[in-house]
């Protein structure tokens, strides 16, 4: 039994070492840049991101060849496109022919291969004026910014990073607490009911779930939900392997079958993983 169990653990570990990360052409979420405008007057305006390079993803700068122009004369939006094309940036940044209409305190989103570094450029058609920001850079897989007009300097946008760190910490703590409660309740059904056993299970779960959730937060921040989902499965399997070894060693009694702690570790991790996915759908912001 011991040799068989060790063989299973070795197979799991080897699978993580040799199993390649799935790579598919242009699948999964892409990096994004979101700009929330604040203190804006209730008027129409158009927003784009200027790029240091002349292309990113499918977006490319207009080079005078009408064959590659995204708008032709007579098209809706052509006049706005022409205004952006004719704009001359002081640092030579490029307009990549993609813009969005906004009004008031609106939100602008470039969700498919946004440029970095970039400048935020706004055109006000009623005034026939532009406002541009300083150079900005993406800082995470999904980067969030707040933009407002500089009251002291006409034609300048003030853009700053924003991220909900407080909510992230609250959701992190909530995920850990929920997972530990689920696994302790399951432990009662498996007959682990003494104070010593429950304390041991709680300590192990606090350590493993804290490490798991911190790693997942870092992955989600830097690489997005596609990597988050893949490594969520990988880390849960690794945690099962670690917990199975610990529970088998410290929870097996003299008259108790050593397989029971391993079965508990497997059941608890499967149910907590499924509960996590379910909660992600019920309360999207918590994951």
């Amino acid at each position: 039994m011991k040799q068989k169990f060790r063989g299973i653990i070795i197979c799991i570990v080897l699978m993580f070492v040799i199993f390649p990360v799935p790579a598919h052409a242009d699948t999964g979420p892409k990096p994004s840049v979101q700009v929330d405008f604040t203190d804006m007057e209730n008027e129409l305006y158009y927003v784009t991101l200027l790029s240091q390079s002349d292309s990113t993803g499918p977006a490319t700068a207009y080079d005078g060849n009408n064959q590659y122009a995204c708008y032709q004369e007579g098209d809706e939006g052509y006049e706005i496109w022409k205004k952006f094309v004719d704009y001359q940036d002081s640092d030579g940044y490029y307009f990549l022919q993609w813009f969005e209409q906004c009004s008031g305190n609106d939100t602008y989103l470039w969700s498919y291969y946004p440029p970095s570094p970039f400048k935020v450029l706004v055109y006000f058609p009623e005034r026939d004026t532009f406002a541009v920001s300083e150079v900005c850079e993406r800082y995470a897989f999904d980067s969030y910014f707040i933009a407002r007009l500089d009251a002291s300097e006409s034609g300048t946008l003030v853009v700053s990073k924003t991220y909900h760190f407080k909510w992230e910490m609250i959701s992190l703590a909530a995920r850990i607490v929920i997972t530990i409660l689920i696994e302790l309740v399951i432990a009662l059904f498996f007959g682990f009911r003494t104070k010593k056993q429950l304390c041991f299970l709680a300590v192990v779960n606090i350590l493993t779930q804290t490490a798991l959730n911190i790693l997942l937060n870092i992955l989600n921040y830097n690489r997005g939900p596609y990597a988050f989902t893949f490594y969520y499965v990988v880390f849960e399997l690794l945690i099962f392997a670690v917990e199975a070894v610990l529970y088998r060693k410290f929870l097996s009694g003299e008259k108790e079958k050593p397989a029971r702690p391993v079965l508990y570790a497997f059941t608890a991790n499967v149910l907590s993983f499924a509960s996590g996915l379910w909660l992600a759908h019920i309360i999207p912001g918590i994951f």
Side-chain angles (χ1 to χ4, degrees):
M1 177 69 184
K2 182 181 289 187
Q3 290 180 344
K4 184 178 180 181
F5 179 71
R6 285 178 179 173
I8 293 172
I9 299 301
I10 292 171
C11 288
I12 292 173
V13 174
L14 286 175
M15 180 183 69
F16 299 140
V17 175
I18 65 175
F19 191 79
V21 177
H24 305 283
D26 204 36
T27 61
K30 301 295 182 292
S32 69
V33 168
Q34 178 175 308
V35 183
D36 296 315
F37 287 89
T38 185
D39 299 330
M40 299 289 284
E41 295 181 10
N42 191 23
E43 65 174 311
L44 190 70
Y45 56 94
Y46 295 87
V47 186
T48 189
L49 301 183
L50 300 179
S51 173
Q52 188 180 52
S53 60
D54 61 1
S55 67
T56 175
T60 185
Y62 175 62
D63 61 359
N65 187 340
N66 287 332
Q67 182 181 353
Y68 301 106
C70 291
Y71 291 81
Q72 300 294 333
E73 192 168 359
D75 292 346
E76 184 179 357
Y78 171 79
E79 296 300 327
I80 304 300
W81 172 83
K82 189 70 167 58
K83 286 289 184 180
F84 281 125
V85 166
D86 292 339
Y87 178 82
Q88 298 294 315
D89 180 64
S90 59
D91 297 315
Y93 274 54
Y94 296 90
F95 166 57
L96 301 182
Q97 303 193 73
W98 194 89
F99 60 89
E100 220 175 75
Q101 178 182 303
C102 298
S103 63
N105 292 335
D106 214 335
T107 296
Y108 168 84
L109 176 66
W110 189 315
S111 59
Y112 195 83
Y113 293 109
S116 186
F118 64 88
K119 292 183 180 183
V120 182
L121 179 65
V122 177
Y123 174 64
F124 299 93
E126 293 181 12
R127 315 180 204 172
D128 192 26
T129 58
F130 287 94
V132 65
S133 73
E134 296 294 328
V135 176
C136 307
E137 291 196 23
R138 297 202 320 261
Y139 60 89
F141 188 86
D142 297 308
S143 299
Y144 299 89
F145 298 86
I146 294 177
R148 61 176 178 81
L149 289 171
D150 189 344
S152 63
E153 189 173 348
S154 178
T156 301
L157 276 176
V158 177
V159 177
S160 55
K161 299 176 184 177
T162 179
Y163 201 78
H164 305 299
F165 287 104
K166 183 178 179 181
W167 170 249
E168 287 296 324
M169 294 304 296
I170 292 173
S171 63
L172 173 64
R175 294 197 300 270
I176 293 172
V177 170
I178 290 170
T179 301
I180 292 172
L181 288 176
I182 290 171
E183 299 210 6
L184 288 179
V185 169
I186 295 169
L188 298 177
F189 287 97
F190 274 81
F192 301 119
R193 298 174 180 174
T194 68
K195 183 177 179 181
K196 184 178 180 180
Q197 288 174 328
L198 293 176
C199 286
F200 175 74
L201 291 173
V203 169
V204 171
N205 274 281
I206 289 171
L207 294 175
T208 57
Q209 293 304 316
T210 300
L212 169 68
N213 282 278
I214 289 175
L215 286 172
L216 289 176
N217 265 31
I218 293 171
L219 280 166
N220 191 52
Y221 183 88
N222 291 292
R223 298 182 60 184
Y226 193 67
F228 173 95
T229 303
F230 175 77
Y231 283 103
Y232 189 10
V233 177
V234 171
F235 292 155
E236 280 287 2
L237 288 171
L238 285 173
I239 285 175
F240 158 67
V242 171
E243 290 183 348
V245 171
L246 291 174
Y247 296 165
R248 188 171 185 271
K249 182 175 182 179
F250 294 103
L251 294 179
S252 296
E254 293 181 1
K255 300 180 180 180
E256 182 179 294
K257 293 182 179 180
R260 186 162 70 104
V262 177
L263 182 60
Y264 161 70
F266 176 78
T267 305
N269 278 280
V270 168
L271 291 180
S272 63
F273 176 75
S275 300
L277 294 180
W278 179 71
L279 280 172
H281 286 285
I282 302 300
I283 317 172
I286 201 171
F287 281 89

